[in-house]
């Protein structure tokens, strides 16, 4: 009997999975009791799981147990908007890829992805790609500065000219990362520039039969770490966020909101709103406010169950005039993440996230 090994589940196919243990790939079966496990997940094993397994040959083994998960990336089922299907776990970060031009840069989409990243417990990293297309670095400098002020890492890259690719490699090293962003922003090109030959399926629609569908797999990076390869991630959802909570992700709104008269002010039409006052006076740039409004408007409050234990941001905390820590934001969002199961293994054109 050999010593148990530890590895990462990189692909799941039916009852078999592939486990990467220090670079060696084992095709493993899961023991019966794993299937019966009470993890609350719709599948006992998920791509990204750290597992303990016994090798039965040089490339085969049996999974014995699953180690605790740190984060999870979910999709919602087309059958029910409130159900969740975990497609990958232990993902460290969300690389938000936006292009300077073609398609043009907008803060709104980046903000939405930032919130979705926090909602899944993933650290957002922003990548402004196609810098070669900018006539003047001033086109993106302001935005880069803004997000850096929010303490997000901002990478400036050109997949075509190779700009910033070393920094990208460094950012992804020894982490597991999922890439998100509009189609055509250069996600596949960036991965390919970083590691020639590595192909992402991000833009594709899954068309395989239901029993052969691979929900997600992990692509191994030469520098260490993985890229989560999930077909069809297109738009992100805010399905776990209430209107009142959105301001937490916009420090410039959050700080002003402490001076609003209404305790539940969402800074849209309320009387004596400090945020609206700042927009009118020009103290708050309109584009910053617009990014906030776009998100609030996409949230259908009726959709949110009334009985969740979501806490409205505490006005005492608000008085301290500080935005909540990033850790707190993540905790809040994880707390309200839903645990409902979805036992349908049907195809879905929106893996990962629901459309906003
Ligand atoms: P994805 O849909 O996000 O995976 O985007 P792709 O990687 O398929 O890129 C979409 C298009 O943008 C392709 O024609 C790429 O050649 C082009 N592209 C990607 N990165 C860059 C870049 O840094 N600069 C320029 N000029 N074009 C790029
Ligand atoms: Zn207000």
């Amino acid at each position: 009997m050999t010593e148990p090994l530890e590895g990462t589940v990189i692909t799941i196919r039916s009852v078999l999975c592939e486990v990467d243990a220090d670079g060696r790939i084992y095709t493993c079966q899961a023991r019966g009791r794993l299937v019966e496990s009470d993890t609350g997940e719709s599948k006992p094993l998920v791509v990204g799981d750290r597992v303990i397994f016994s090798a039965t040959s040089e490339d085969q083994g049996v999974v014995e147990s699953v180690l605790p998960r740190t984060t999870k990336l979910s999709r919602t089922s087309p059958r029910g908007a409130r159900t969740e299907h975990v497609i990958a776990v232990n993902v460290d970060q969300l690389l938000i890829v936006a292009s300077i031009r073609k398609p043009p840069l907008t803060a709104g989409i980046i903000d939405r992805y930032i919130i979705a990243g926090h909602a899944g417990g993933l650290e957002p990293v922003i990548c402004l790609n196609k810098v070669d297309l900018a006539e003047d670095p001033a086109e993106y400098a302001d935005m880069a500065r803004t997000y850096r002020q929010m303490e997000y890492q901002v990478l400036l890259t050109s997949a075509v000219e190779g700009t910033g690719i070393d920094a990208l490699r460094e950012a992804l090293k020894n982490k597991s990362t999922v890439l998100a962003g509009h189609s055509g922003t250069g996600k596949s090109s960036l991965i390919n520039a970083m590691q020639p030959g590595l192909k992402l399926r991000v833009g594709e629609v899954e068309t395989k039969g239901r029993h052969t569908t691979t929900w997600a797999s992990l692509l191994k990076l030469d520098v260490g770490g993985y890229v989560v390869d999930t077909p069809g991630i297109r738009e992100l959802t805010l399905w776990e966020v209430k209107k009142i909570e959105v301001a937490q992700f916009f420090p410039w709104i959050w700080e002003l909101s402490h001076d609003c008269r209404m305790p539940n002010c969402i800074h849209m039409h309320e009387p004596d709103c400090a945020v609206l006052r700042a927009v009118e006076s020009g103290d708050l740039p309109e584009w910053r406010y617009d990014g906030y409004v776009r998100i609030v408007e996409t949230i259908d409050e009726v959709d949110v169950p009334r009985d969740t234990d979501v806490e409205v941001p505490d006005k005492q905390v608000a008085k301290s005039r500080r935005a909540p820590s990033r850790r707190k934001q993540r905790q809040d969002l994880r707390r309200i993440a839903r645990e409902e199961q979805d036992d349908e293994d049907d195809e879905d054109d929106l893996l990962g996230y629901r459309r906003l």
Side-chain angles (χ1 to χ4, degrees):
M1 205 48 199
T2 52
E3 283 288 298
L5 299 169
E6 189 177 325
T8 303
V9 176
I10 56 170
T11 313
I12 293 183
R13 288 196 186 83
S14 181
V15 293
L16 295 177
C17 61
E18 285 178 358
V19 178
D20 181 334
D22 291 329
R24 180 180 281 222
I25 310 297
Y26 294 82
T27 301
C28 292
Q29 287 181 309
R31 280 214 192 283
R33 62 189 165 81
L34 278 182
V35 180
E36 296 302 318
S37 77
D38 55 0
T39 55
E41 312 294 350
S42 54
K43 284 184 182 174
L45 272 185
V46 177
V47 166
D49 263 327
R50 296 288 298 166
V51 295
I52 305 293
F53 70 100
S54 311
T56 52
S57 74
E58 62 179 24
D59 60 0
Q60 292 186 331
V62 177
V63 175
E64 305 285 351
S65 60
V66 186
L67 299 176
R69 296 163 173 173
T70 55
T71 65
K72 64 179 179 181
L73 189 64
S74 307
R75 74 180 176 90
T76 50
S77 163
R79 298 281 168 90
R82 301 248 181 94
T83 57
E84 180 187 31
H85 195 131
V86 180
I87 54 168
V89 295
N90 303 330
V91 184
D92 299 309
Q93 52 189 14
L94 179 71
L95 185 77
I96 302 166
V97 182
S99 51
I100 310 293
R101 292 188 179 194
K102 297 185 185 174
L105 199 54
T106 55
I109 188 75
I110 297 177
D111 296 334
R112 286 192 288 179
Y113 282 123
I114 285 175
I115 291 181
H118 284 302
L122 283 67
E123 180 70 28
V125 175
I126 296 157
C127 177
L128 304 181
N129 188 39
K130 308 198 188 183
V131 292
D132 57 291
L133 296 183
E135 274 166 21
D136 185 344
E139 279 180 42
Y140 52 82
D142 191 35
M143 199 172 284
R145 196 177 323 112
T146 300
Y147 288 112
R148 282 177 180 148
Q149 279 167 357
M150 293 167 75
E151 291 180 46
Y152 294 113
Q153 186 179 2
V154 179
L155 302 165
L156 300 170
T157 59
S158 166
V160 167
E161 296 185 344
T163 316
I165 299 302
D166 287 342
L168 175 68
R169 196 178 289 115
E170 200 54 36
L172 269 51
K173 188 176 167 181
N174 295 330
K175 301 247 172 75
S176 66
T177 306
V178 63
L179 279 76
H182 272 160
S183 173
T185 55
K187 295 176 290 299
S188 320
S189 306
L190 284 167
I191 291 302
N192 205 258
M194 218 185 85
Q195 187 171 323
L198 211 53
K199 294 257 184 319
L200 280 181
R201 297 174 296 172
V202 280
E204 290 174 21
V205 175
E206 187 67 66
T207 53
K208 291 181 200 161
R210 55 190 294 154
H211 296 298
T212 53
T213 301
T214 304
W215 292 113
S217 55
L218 300 183
L219 303 177
K220 197 167 176 150
L221 297 173
D222 291 341
V223 289
Y226 302 93
V227 168
V228 180
D229 186 25
T230 62
I233 285 190
R234 294 188 206 131
E235 305 260 351
L236 296 176
T237 179
L238 293 175
W239 66 303
E240 293 133 345
V241 181
K242 283 182 164 186
K243 285 181 197 277
I244 188 75
E245 295 171 321
V246 175
Q248 295 179 45
F249 298 95
F250 294 82
W252 45 86
I253 304 276
W254 180 254
E255 290 192 7
L256 290 163
S257 71
H258 313 145
D259 294 329
C260 295
R261 175 150 64 93
M262 313 285 291
N264 292 332
C265 191
I266 52 166
H267 329 300
M268 302 282 278
H269 320 285
E270 291 84 350
D272 206 5
C273 166
V275 175
L276 292 175
R277 262 202 314 271
V279 176
E280 274 159 31
S281 70
D283 288 346
L284 179 66
E286 223 161 284
W287 69 271
R288 289 188 160 183
Y289 178 65
D290 288 348
Y292 167 81
V293 170
R294 266 196 299 272
I295 290 180
V296 172
E297 283 180 341
T298 57
I299 297 174
D300 181 4
E301 206 82 290
V302 182
D303 221 20
V304 178
R306 291 269 163 244
D307 57 352
T308 50
D309 63 342
V310 177
E311 287 164 21
V312 170
D314 182 357
K315 281 287 155 179
Q316 286 310 113
V317 177
K319 284 282 182 270
S320 74
R321 299 191 142 267
R322 283 176 42 231
S325 70
R326 304 271 291 284
R327 193 187 149 88
K328 172 78 165 54
Q329 291 174 358
R330 275 198 294 272
Q331 283 172 346
D332 283 352
L333 284 160
R334 250 178 273 168
R335 181 167 46 75
I336 57 175
R338 297 193 185 108
E339 299 296 339
E340 291 173 43
Q341 289 183 28
D342 169 29
D343 50 14
E344 296 289 338
D345 278 0
D346 44 1
E347 285 92 346
D348 172 19
D349 70 337
L350 278 175
L351 294 184
Y353 301 98
R354 196 174 58 153
R355 191 180 297 274
L356 271 173

